[in-house]
Amino acid sequence: MTAEEDIRRTLARYCMLCDDGRFDEWAQLFTQDTRFHVMGATHEGRAAAQAFIERGQPPERRGKHLGHGAIIQVDEAAGTARCWSDYVFVDRAGTVTSTGRYHDELVRGNDGAWRFGLREIVFAGQDPQLTPVPPSS
């Protein structure tokens, strides 16, 4: 697989593992020193990111995260990538409750897996606080 294919797999696993409540596996998609920025707060470290998502996604609040349209810029020599992808969250009743864009900085680990070093969730109508906007070309 190419780096872009591996990164797209990480993006898909993020949604599926969260929706399934498999938070131990979900946390493994992040570096130990990750920054997970959402709703104006930064959760630093893998354990903090996991604790936040577990509180925010109890079984009765889970639905479907639908990610699409990823723009990926890979720096193979550095083992890093930037990625921007849109998302829609649909609750169990089928109502869209959130839309926005993921702004990601990923790092390729020694095991070859791509992990989020930074994930910023930017809700529709808001501007990113920690990351640049997607490239225009």
Side-chain angles (χ1 to χ4, degrees), residues 33-88:
D33 62 349
T34 194
R35 292 179 296 150
F36 185 64
H37 187 82
V38 59
M39 297 185 287
T42 302
H43 307 277
E44 298 203 26
R46 183 185 286 166
Q50 182 175 351
F52 170 80
I53 204 69
E54 284 180 348
R55 282 190 309 273
Q57 292 287 305
E60 66 276 6
R61 293 187 59 200
R62 290 185 203 138
K64 283 290 177 195
H65 289 82
L66 308 170
H68 58 92
I71 297 172
I72 301 170
Q73 296 177 331
V74 178
D75 182 338
E76 287 284 354
T80 61
R82 285 202 165 166
C83 179
W84 300 264
S85 56
D86 292 332
Y87 79 88
V88 173

Side-chain angles (χ1 to χ4, degrees), residues 80-117:
T80 61
R82 285 202 165 166
C83 179
W84 300 264
S85 56
D86 292 332
Y87 79 88
V88 173
F89 181 75
V90 180
D91 69 14
R92 290 183 177 196
T95 302
V96 173
T97 61
S98 179
T99 63
R101 181 167 294 143
Y102 297 123
H103 290 229
D104 299 317
E105 295 177 4
L106 296 110
V107 179
R108 186 176 48 229
N110 292 335
D111 60 358
W114 287 92
R115 292 183 176 84
F116 300 107

Side-chain angles (χ1 to χ4, degrees), residues 5-40:
E5 290 170 322
D6 286 340
I7 290 168
R8 288 182 201 283
R9 183 175 176 85
T10 298
L11 300 175
R13 291 184 67 224
Y14 171 94
C15 294
M16 290 178 187
L17 293 171
C18 184
D19 294 344
D20 293 348
R22 295 163 57 189
F23 300 120
D24 289 340
E25 293 169 81
W26 178 91
Q28 296 304 309
L29 299 174
F30 293 83
T31 62
Q32 284 289 349
D33 62 349
T34 194
R35 292 179 296 150
F36 185 64
H37 187 82
V38 59
M39 297 185 287

